[in-house]
Amino acid sequence: QNPELSFTMVKTVLPPRLLAAAPLLAGLASALPPPVHVPDLLARRGEDDGLLSTSAGPPQGWWGNEDRSPELDDVTSSTFEQVLDHFSKEDGVTFGQRYFTSDRYVSEGGTGEDAVNFLCVGGEGPSLDASVLVNSVHCTGDMVELAKLLHEEHGWDVRMYALEHRYYGESIPSPKKGEGGLRSPKEGGDGPDGGDKKGDADFAHLSSRQAVLDIVNFVTSTDPHNRWVAFGGSYPGMLSAWSHLLHPSKIYAAVSSSSPLQVTLDFGRYNDRVASDLADADVGGSGECLAVVEGGHAQVAAALEADGKKSDPGSDSKSKSPKGGEVGLDKVAEMFDVCGGADTLRVERNRQIFAGWGLLRIPAQGNDPSCDGKVCNIEKLCGEILHLKKTNGKDGKERSDMEVLSEVRRMQSDDEAGGWMERQCQNVGWDDFVSYYSTPTRWNANDRSWQYQTCNEFGFYQTCEVDSSCPYARGYHGIDMDLELCQRLFGIDPDEVRRRVDGTLTYYGGGGPLPRARPA
């Protein structure tokens, strides 16, 4: 008579005591890695970035490692000898996959009759460390709190684990023998059909299909007797769901939070949702706030287009000076501290990054009501936007929407600087953006891995098209930009990216009937 719980594509039977804690299963609030705000990303690139090596510290992604905390005595770090290629096990090649464990909620003397293993599935976020089982962005809000409740209020023994994803953090296969390392000379990789494509060499065995089997191999090797429940949000939530869906005899249940299981190449709806959040009174937004953000981007787009016409030899314009009421490109570049000034914005790809990827960072996905920054959540951001809009500027005149956004963007830069370093200019250079991903360093390793996975399997490109509700400059971020990255970084052409994304959807049953359970 056990009741059933349904988790996004995952339907499983849970014991009544686990069901009693269901209110805690709301999970994580993320749906994908936060959108890349290019100026912020490039500002973090240090001059002394060295090539990734085994002696370097753990790589960091664009989220940084803000969740780091001192290791606690009850959290241990170990390495599991993981199969490199689950689809060709005869070669016997393995790599060291890092994992963490804690017996904090296990009674002294071992596990009792009511015992379960909780597994926090790693993914594209910050590199794991001991805090993953204490207080972090990974599984704290659901898994750790649920383990505590089951142990203290229901007498369960809950052993907690966290498994790092291959090619992230310190779980990087060695490039020895030309097999599967970050800089392997081998041409080939893990496409939707096990395809062999030039340009995949750096990540020859990086795929969700391998990662699901990593989970299965880990749990069966570590504890084949007690039940396992997999937890994850965003992409790790997808892996949690898929591991149970395909291997229910190994993964007893899965908690899959905010997981975009319906893989899609062009994910323009993401920015439609950002616009809705800006107007949502429940999180501190308003229609007036959204109108200013949209208006500011529209004014910048108008300035970019006007400058383009003046620079066009076929234009009828006889003067490069802005007309009354117009703002020239030099002024726009000055207002937003663009590195290289107006000339930077006269390069097509640069202006697309500048206007189509967001003049400022909107914290819709990671909206934290308790954050400390001046404009760190929707409520604070919209509060400042409306305050600036309703008050005059230093010249005594009402601020335009564009002027409001420029001032808010500077507030964000000051928040990021933390008061101890000078504000940097905004680098919106497309070539610098491509360069950031082109060479492995200890700082961009996680970023590179996720970028590859988007090209190889998922897409999820957060575009801003003309016919969308995107709050940025519509028409300035098309899917062609993301597909160009795949081609330049990994040699995967646009048609191949589309084929691989479609293949992923079919493989996991997102486009039709769910796949049958498969043997481990």
Side-chain angles (χ1 to χ4, degrees):
Q1 297 181 354
N2 288 339
E4 292 188 340
L5 283 181
S6 177
F7 302 109
T8 313
M9 272 185 69
V10 180
K11 197 173 186 181
T12 184
V13 178
L14 297 181
R17 291 182 183 178
L18 188 56
L19 179 62
L24 288 176
L25 300 183
L28 306 177
S30 60
L32 284 173
V36 178
H37 192 250
V38 176
D40 293 342
L41 181 74
L42 297 181
R44 295 173 188 170
R45 182 174 58 174
E47 294 180 358
D48 59 345
D49 284 350
L51 287 178
L52 183 67
S53 67
T54 55
S55 62
Q60 298 177 344
W62 60 63
W63 280 333
N65 269 354
E66 296 176 357
D67 61 321
R68 285 184 173 276
S69 63
E71 290 192 13
L72 299 183
D73 291 340
D74 66 6
V75 180
T76 59
S77 173
S78 305
T79 301
F80 176 72
E81 283 301 308
Q82 185 62 265
V83 174
L84 178 62
D85 186 357
H86 295 282
F87 301 99
S88 180
K89 294 183 179 180
E90 63 272 9
D91 60 15
V93 179
T94 62
F95 71 98
Q97 187 168 26
R98 186 169 57 160
Y99 70 96
F100 297 86
T101 185
S102 171
D103 287 345
R104 187 182 314 134
Y105 302 119
V106 176
S107 302
E108 187 174 352
T111 57
E113 181 179 347
D114 286 331
V116 65
N117 295 311
F118 279 6
L119 176 65
C120 177
V121 176
E124 82 290 2
S127 301
L128 300 191
D129 59 30
S131 71
V132 67
L133 297 179
V134 181
N135 181 25
S136 75
V137 300
H138 298 280
C139 292
T140 302
D142 48 7
M143 190 186 92
V144 177
E145 291 301 316
L146 179 56
K148 179 180 179 180
L149 184 150
L150 289 172
H151 181 70
E152 295 181 353
E153 298 188 17
H154 299 279
W156 280 44
D157 285 332
V158 184
R159 179 167 282 120
M160 299 186 297
Y161 294 86
L163 181 66
E164 192 165 62
H165 195 294
R166 56 171 61 206
Y167 289 86
Y168 290 88
E170 294 184 357
S171 301
I172 299 174
S174 168
K176 294 179 181 179
K177 300 179 183 179
E179 291 290 337
L182 272 178
R183 276 164 276 153
S184 164
K186 177 183 176 183
E187 294 182 358
D190 246 0
D193 304 315
D196 192 37
K197 285 286 181 180
K198 182 177 181 179
D200 290 5
D202 282 353
F203 304 103
H205 298 100
L206 171 57
S207 73
S208 63
R209 301 170 201 204
Q210 297 280 7
V212 166
L213 291 174
D214 285 346
I215 294 171
V216 173
N217 188 37
F218 175 78
V219 302
T220 54
S221 301
T222 303
D223 183 357
H225 306 295
N226 290 308
R227 291 170 173 173
W228 287 83
V229 180
F231 290 77
S234 185
Y235 168 53
M238 296 161 67
L239 294 176
S240 300
W242 289 333
S243 66
H244 169 76
L245 179 68
L246 299 178
H247 306 280
S249 65
K250 309 298 182 184
I251 304 298
Y252 176 68
V255 179
S256 177
S257 304
S258 300
S259 305
L261 291 161
Q262 195 76 8
V263 174
T264 181
L265 180 68
D266 189 334
F267 198 29
R269 290 173 296 167
Y270 184 98
N271 282 324
D272 293 346
R273 183 66 224 182
V274 172
S276 298
D277 289 345
L278 284 171
D280 190 344
D282 289 340
V283 294
S286 67
E288 294 85 353
C289 178
L290 173 61
V292 173
V293 174
E294 291 178 332
H297 282 86
Q299 289 167 5
V300 166
L304 292 170
E305 291 163 13
D307 186 83
K309 291 178 181 178
K310 292 168 187 172
S311 302
D312 184 354
S315 171
D316 293 333
S317 175
K318 297 181 180 180
S319 171
K320 291 184 181 281
S321 300
K323 300 177 182 179
E326 289 185 3
V327 177
L329 206 57
D330 287 307
K331 182 62 176 178
V332 172
E334 178 186 347
M335 290 169 61
F336 287 92
D337 299 320
V338 175
C339 301
D343 287 343
T344 295
L345 297 181
R346 292 191 174 101
V347 177
E348 184 66 18
R349 282 293 192 227
N350 298 350
R351 62 204 287 147
Q352 289 173 333
I353 283 181
F354 177 60
W357 295 41
L359 296 170
L360 69 166
R361 186 169 26 82
I362 298 175
Q365 180 168 309
N367 190 46
D368 180 0
S370 64
C371 64
D372 296 326
K374 192 172 183 179
V375 287
C376 58
N377 59 36
I378 295 292
E379 183 176 15
K380 291 184 176 182
L381 180 74
C382 283
E384 286 294 339
I385 285 175
L386 295 183
H387 170 73
L388 291 169
K389 187 61 181 176
K390 292 174 182 177
T391 57
N392 294 335
K394 294 180 180 179
D395 59 1
K397 298 179 181 179
E398 179 183 350
R399 293 178 176 90
S400 68
D401 293 344
M402 179 168 51
E403 289 172 326
V404 170
L405 298 192
S406 72
E407 293 195 36
V408 172
R409 174 55 199 162
R410 291 187 179 188
M411 291 179 192
Q412 290 184 331
S413 296
D414 290 340
D415 275 355
E416 292 155 9
W420 58 270
M421 62 182 292
E422 291 185 5
R423 183 194 306 139
Q424 300 183 37
C425 65
Q426 289 203 77
N427 187 345
V428 295
W430 174 253
D431 288 340
D432 287 338
F433 183 50
V434 174
S435 175
Y436 171 81
Y437 285 103
S438 296
T439 305
T441 73
R442 62 172 299 200
W443 306 111
N444 72 357
N446 287 0
D447 296 354
R448 278 173 45 84
S449 294
W450 178 247
Q451 185 66 41
Y452 174 75
Q453 287 196 267
T454 67
C455 296
N456 185 49
E457 298 185 87
F458 304 132
F460 289 137
Y461 299 123
Q462 297 151 20
T463 57
C464 187
E465 301 286 8
V466 173
D467 59 352
S468 71
S469 299
C470 171
Y472 311 135
R474 295 170 192 167
Y476 276 75
H477 183 179
I479 194 68
D480 61 299
M481 300 183 74
D482 303 283
L483 294 176
E484 181 182 330
L485 274 179
C486 295
Q487 178 80 62
R488 293 181 64 175
L489 296 176
F490 309 115
I492 308 176
D493 65 59
D495 288 340
E496 180 66 17
V497 174
R498 292 186 174 91
R499 190 185 73 82
R500 294 188 183 193
V501 172
D502 288 342
T504 300
L505 192 64
T506 301
Y507 183 85
Y508 292 113
L514 298 182
R516 295 180 180 178
R518 297 170 186 174

